[in-house]
Amino acid sequence: KMSAVFLLLLVSTVNIGAELEKGLPRREPRRLSCVRCCGPSEQPVSIISSRYTRMSSDPAYSVPKVQPTIDITILKGEKGEMGERGYPGAVGKEGERGLRGFNGQKGQKGQPGPQGHSCKQLYAAFSVGRRKPLHSSDYFQHVTFDTEFVNLYKHFNMFSGKFFCYVAGIYYFSLNVHTWNFKETYLHLMKNEKEVAILYAQPSDRSIMQSQSLMLDLQEGEEVWVRMFKRERENAIYSEESDVYIIFNGHLIKPAVE
């Protein structure tokens, strides 16, 4: 009797389960997608590693790149030796004028000036010579003198080799030189910075005395002097310590105001 009751309950349970299964929607079994783990020559990769690879390739799961910053002062070495001096650069613009500098050393005492007088002296005369020979080394070369014969009121400056006109008027000047064997002799008589007369002698196997003279109308403050002029040939004038071969003379003929 108990067996019949159990069998009846079992049949009822099966029927009820069948009815419930008919009433509910049928669910299909879940299919797992295949994931390639490795090739024939590759080692197996874990599921977690494969999942990380897919996530890193997806922009939504990309990991931001971090740019490291290196403090260069930590890696800085010792200071090297100074290199060679480079080529000079281009000239820059002219700068502003600087401050005035300190005063220089006091110069030497100059030669005494002409003798003063309540009435102006209307006289002027000089005669100077040179005892040393002179070779022209520059295109223009100033001729100076070392021997003083006459220098009235010191109008001729022995230091500069120039006659300074203190009295305006008509003057007479003469220049005498001794030429040098096989060398050219070329000199200018100068009024201020302009040549007014030439003394010239061609090269020769014999040395000779050569002279030049002229008159000039001078204004007060003008200067008269001598210079050598060098061309392609060697230019020279001869003299010696024992005698005077070079002489420069000048004197006032008529003053402008008497």
Side-chain angles (χ1 to χ4, degrees):
K1 187 175 180 178
M2 289 297 292
S3 300
V5 174
F6 180 76
L7 181 61
L8 180 61
L9 290 174
L10 179 63
V11 172
S12 299
T13 302
V14 171
N15 291 334
I16 293 171
E19 292 295 331
L20 292 174
E21 186 175 0
K22 291 179 180 180
L24 296 174
R26 190 173 183 179
R27 298 176 63 182
E28 294 182 359
R30 182 178 180 185
R31 296 180 180 180
L32 298 175
S33 59
C34 296
V35 178
R36 180 178 176 276
C37 296
C38 58
S41 61
E42 297 176 350
Q43 296 294 330
V45 182
S46 64
I47 297 176
I48 297 175
S49 177
S50 176
R51 183 180 179 186
Y52 174 77
T53 303
R54 293 200 306 273
M55 292 178 64
S56 61
S57 60
D58 190 347
Y61 299 99
S62 61
V63 180
K65 296 182 179 180
V66 179
Q67 185 69 24
T69 302
I70 302 175
D71 189 358
I72 194 65
T73 58
I74 301 176
L75 305 178
K76 186 176 180 181
E78 297 181 357
K79 185 176 180 180
E81 297 180 356
M82 181 180 292
E84 296 181 356
R85 185 174 182 179
Y87 296 102
V91 179
K93 296 182 180 180
E94 185 177 357
E96 298 180 358
R97 186 173 181 179
L99 300 175
R100 184 174 181 179
F102 299 102
N103 294 330
Q105 297 181 354
K106 187 176 180 180
Q108 297 180 354
K109 185 178 180 180
Q111 295 184 351
Q115 183 179 359
H117 197 274
S118 57
C119 296
K120 191 171 184 178
Q121 301 293 330
L122 302 182
Y123 303 99
F126 73 91
S127 180
V128 293
R130 180 182 176 94
R131 295 180 180 272
K132 296 180 181 179
L134 185 63
H135 286 78
S136 179
S137 57
D138 297 325
Y139 188 67
F140 291 125
Q141 184 170 344
H142 195 138
V143 179
T144 57
F145 300 87
D146 52 27
T147 303
E148 182 181 83
F149 298 112
V150 175
N151 193 2
L152 189 62
Y153 307 125
K154 304 296 181 180
H155 289 186
F156 188 91
N157 190 324
M158 295 295 293
F159 181 78
S160 66
K162 294 183 178 182
F163 170 75
F164 187 88
C165 178
Y166 287 94
V167 182
I170 306 299
Y171 284 81
Y172 175 84
F173 297 95
S174 64
L175 176 64
N176 300 272
V177 300
H178 194 284
T179 64
W180 202 307
N181 294 6
F182 305 105
K183 296 180 182 180
E184 189 176 47
T185 301
Y186 204 143
L187 297 97
H188 287 152
L189 269 169
M190 304 292 296
K191 177 182 177 182
N192 299 324
E193 298 299 324
K194 182 180 179 180
E195 61 271 14
V196 292
I198 295 174
L199 187 152
Y200 178 75
Q202 291 183 344
S204 174
D205 57 350
R206 294 192 309 167
S207 60
I208 59 174
M209 293 295 296
Q210 194 81 345
S211 65
Q212 178 65 281
S213 60
L214 77 164
M215 288 190 293
L216 294 175
D217 186 1
L218 300 181
Q219 302 298 321
E220 185 175 355
E222 293 186 312
E223 295 176 321
V224 179
W225 50 289
V226 181
R227 76 177 181 188
M228 296 183 71
F229 174 54
K230 182 180 180 181
R231 301 192 297 179
E232 293 80 8
R233 300 173 179 176
E234 188 177 4
N235 187 8
I237 49 179
Y238 177 80
S239 191
E240 57 185 31
E241 294 288 345
S242 60
D243 209 342
V244 180
Y245 288 83
I246 304 168
I247 298 177
F248 184 32
N249 300 321
H251 66 274
L252 176 65
I253 297 178
K254 182 180 183 298
V257 179
E258 297 183 0

